[in-house]
Amino acid sequence: MSETSFRDPQSGGSLILAWQAKAKTILIVGGGAVAAGRVFSALEADANVTVVAPTLCAELQHRADAKQIRWHERVFEDRDLDDASMVLTAISDRDESRRIATMCRERRIPVNAADINDLCDFWFMSTHRDHSVQIAVSTNSKAPRLANRIRRTVASALPRGTGLAVEKIGRLRQRIREVDPSPTNGKRRMNWLTQLCDYWPLEQLARMDSDNIDDLLAAYVQQADPQTVAIAHDSAPQSPTLASNAIGEQSSDKRANGTRGSLVLVGAGVGDPDLLTVRAHRELRHADIVLADKLIPEAVLGIISCEIYTARKFPGAASEAQDDLNQRGLAELAQGKRVVRLKQGDPFVYGRGGEEILFYRSHGYEAEIVPGLSSAINGPGLCGIPVTHRGVADQVLVVSGANRNGDLPTVPEYVSTRTLVILMAVKRLPDIVKLLSNASYPDSLPLAIVERAGCPDQRTVRATLGSIVDTVERVGHNAPGLIVAGNAVNVLSDAAIQDRFLDSSAAGLNSGE
């Protein structure tokens, strides 16, 4: 998304456009971190990127070496504008930026000068991308960081499958145009598609397969109501009726008879309710009360119909929060209730699940265990990073960056075929980078930060060990997140897009208004 303003930028108004930059030349003047962000945005739009700068930061140097960009190793010259369709300046010399912007306007070339609002014909916005869906938020350069927060709020409210729904409708629309290409039938095509787009649930549209599209195409040809076409029901786990009823009846009977309650320790997985186990769905739907971690996503909490109790906040005092949940659990169990203790990921992977088992056992309660998908393995996988890959990575080491007393993890010497996953450590990123460097991890090693895996606004920030700190300072961080280091990080990236530093799920890099 691109934003163009032809009036005083301080007026607060702007015209929002989607700029078609594919195969056009975008000139970027500067070689530092800000320029790297602009380069990423341009490459995401499939533009041809030319960078003019005497030197490049590590990220841009890698892109130049990989032939992703064209680099002129010198200062800007007036002739650089000859082939430019758009110009982005990212240099500290404000007078030179102003001179370049003036020449651009004389040639009718749109220009953006980083951090000099009055020179900008447009600004970059905070964007969310899901397949072909792009949502952009602008504060007209007044509060870029707040724009990121607004964008995350909007993205998290989107129904699951929104991007897929758009892709499926796009395919159907193309098929309809192929069988009915007449311009005179444009209104008929639009009216029929309106019935489909306005009234079908997005989740249903996202589930369409090729057979469904064929059926809908046939319905269009016959001008039949789209509602006559049946789409397969959602395959998300549903509670088996008999087992569900049994649990509900058993819980009610126990309370009526004054029997002690029962406890189930449930892993909430990585954030997506569809990735909960069938058993987890069943337990959550038939619990009398759910004791939840603070980081459980709203989408998971949304399938719970009973009371949800979340630990009170004790800043910097996780033990107090844990004690609060334990005591509430005992009180509910004493009333004969079926208590579900809901923990993010898997309870036994840095989730203190074992401690809770021992606590309740000491009070006469034996918990049932329902495992969950751990973000340590499945978080990277959801973002296209396999933690093992034949010929690249044959071992995985998982450590925590939030050990007792604030200690950093102990990391063994670097092994090229090992993938290292560090949980709960992004806030200590500079210390982690220093720790890995001391363990002989090379600066060129691919490194990724996986944020909010499994949530609608999941994001992957990719860089190298030597450049990740600067990259995160530029794009910000959306907690919770984990760090993945190793040669497997980029193994699924094809040559054309390797080492792009944000995945397509959320291009938060565009927040530098």
Side-chain angles (χ1 to χ4, degrees), residues 221-236:
V221 171
Q222 300 168 15
Q223 284 297 288
D225 189 335
Q227 296 286 2
T228 62
V229 178
I231 303 296
H233 291 296
D234 194 349
S235 58

Side-chain angles (χ1 to χ4, degrees), residues 111-258:
V111 61
N112 172 279
D115 295 327
I116 312 178
N117 293 344
D118 63 312
L119 296 184
C120 296
D121 291 322
F122 59 92
W123 295 294
F124 288 91
M125 294 185 285
S126 179
T127 63
H128 167 81
R129 179 173 296 171
D130 179 4
H131 293 79
S132 293
V133 175
Q134 287 180 271
I135 296 174
V137 176
S138 173
T139 59
N140 287 294
S141 198
K142 293 181 179 179
R145 289 300 301 173
L146 187 57
N148 281 341
R149 180 179 175 184
I150 296 170
R151 181 255 304 164
R152 291 195 299 269
T153 301
V154 172
S156 64
L158 291 176
R160 285 186 51 76
T162 297
L164 280 175
V166 170
E167 295 293 325
K168 302 295 178 63
I169 288 295
R171 295 177 199 172
L172 176 61
R173 187 166 176 257
Q174 181 178 0
R175 295 282 302 279
I176 288 175
R177 283 185 173 275
E178 290 171 355
V179 301
D180 186 12
S182 174
T184 60
N185 291 336
K187 186 174 181 180
R188 181 172 71 172
R189 291 192 298 266
M190 183 173 64
N191 289 342
W192 191 88
L193 284 169
T194 296
Q195 293 296 315
L196 185 65
C197 294
D198 285 3
Y199 299 108
W200 276 32
L202 285 170
E203 295 85 352
Q204 191 173 6
L205 293 173
R207 291 197 301 272
M208 290 193 302
D209 57 23
S210 57
D211 290 337
N212 300 140
I213 292 176
D214 289 342
D215 292 342
L216 283 166
L217 181 64
Y220 169 79
V221 171
Q222 300 168 15
Q223 284 297 288
D225 189 335
Q227 296 286 2
T228 62
V229 178
I231 303 296
H233 291 296
D234 194 349
S235 58
Q238 302 294 324
S239 302
T241 303
L242 292 178
S244 299
N245 290 341
I247 289 178
E249 293 167 1
Q250 188 181 59
S251 181
S252 298
D253 290 344
K254 283 185 176 181
R255 289 195 300 273
N257 297 329

Side-chain angles (χ1 to χ4, degrees), residues 43-78:
L43 291 176
E44 279 286 286
D46 295 323
N48 298 323
V49 179
T50 297
V51 175
V52 177
T55 60
L56 299 178
C57 66
E59 178 181 334
L60 290 181
Q61 185 65 61
H62 175 82
R63 292 189 186 279
D65 294 342
K67 307 301 182 184
Q68 296 177 9
I69 62 175
R70 183 183 181 188
W71 176 32
H72 296 312
E73 190 177 354
R74 54 173 171 75
V75 297
F76 171 82
E77 297 178 0
D78 296 359

Side-chain angles (χ1 to χ4, degrees), residues 214-509:
D214 289 342
D215 292 342
L216 283 166
L217 181 64
Y220 169 79
V221 171
Q222 300 168 15
Q223 284 297 288
D225 189 335
Q227 296 286 2
T228 62
V229 178
I231 303 296
H233 291 296
D234 194 349
S235 58
Q238 302 294 324
S239 302
T241 303
L242 292 178
S244 299
N245 290 341
I247 289 178
E249 293 167 1
Q250 188 181 59
S251 181
S252 298
D253 290 344
K254 283 185 176 181
R255 289 195 300 273
N257 297 329
T259 307
R260 288 159 59 88
S262 57
L263 174 68
V264 188
L265 190 61
V266 175
V270 291
D272 186 340
D274 286 349
L275 297 179
L276 288 168
T277 65
V278 174
R279 173 74 184 279
H281 268 271
R282 187 163 68 240
E283 296 292 350
L284 290 175
R285 290 180 180 180
H286 293 278
D288 294 315
I289 184 170
V290 173
L291 310 180
D293 284 349
K294 288 185 292 184
L295 293 178
I296 300 295
E298 288 295 328
V300 174
L301 297 178
I303 69 174
I304 301 170
S305 57
C306 67
E307 179 185 358
I308 302 172
Y309 181 77
T310 304
R312 297 197 304 272
K313 294 183 178 180
F314 295 92
S319 295
E320 285 81 353
Q322 183 71 47
D323 291 342
D324 177 50
L325 284 172
N326 289 344
Q327 295 304 319
R328 180 62 183 266
L330 287 178
E332 299 294 338
L333 289 167
Q335 298 179 43
K337 293 183 179 180
R338 186 167 184 84
V339 177
V340 168
R341 177 65 177 96
L342 185 62
K343 301 186 72 67
Q344 184 71 336
D346 184 274
F348 292 156
V349 181
Y350 293 110
R352 302 185 68 173
E355 296 177 35
E356 296 194 27
I357 293 291
L358 295 174
F359 171 82
Y360 285 107
R361 182 178 294 169
S362 69
H363 289 81
Y365 296 97
E366 195 64 38
E368 302 174 49
I369 310 299
V370 181
L373 297 180
S374 172
S375 62
I377 304 298
N378 298 283
L382 285 168
C383 297
I385 300 175
V387 292
T388 64
H389 189 87
R390 176 181 283 188
V392 178
D394 57 15
Q395 55 185 280
V396 184
L397 175 63
V398 179
V399 299
S400 170
N403 296 316
R404 282 191 173 186
N405 303 319
D407 295 337
L408 289 171
T410 299
V411 177
E413 288 293 302
Y414 171 71
V415 175
S416 64
T417 57
R418 177 191 298 135
T419 300
L420 175 64
V421 179
I422 310 176
L423 306 178
M424 302 173 286
V426 179
K427 289 185 177 180
R428 309 179 69 183
L429 185 59
D431 293 332
I432 294 296
V433 168
K434 183 178 180 180
L435 175 72
L436 298 184
S437 296
N438 291 339
S440 300
Y441 280 64
D443 284 350
S444 60
L445 185 70
L447 191 145
I449 295 178
V450 175
E451 302 173 345
R452 299 180 61 77
C455 296
D457 58 342
Q458 77 175 25
R459 184 176 76 160
T460 306
V461 179
R462 298 176 188 263
T464 62
L465 182 65
S467 64
I468 188 63
V469 172
D470 289 341
T471 300
V472 171
E473 285 182 355
R474 183 173 69 249
V475 305
H477 171 55
N478 304 329
L482 58 85
I483 299 170
V484 189
N487 291 306
V489 165
N490 290 328
V491 74
L492 298 186
S493 300
D494 63 42
I497 63 171
Q498 187 172 6
D499 281 345
R500 290 192 176 179
F501 291 95
L502 299 177
D503 67 3
S504 61
S505 62
L509 192 59

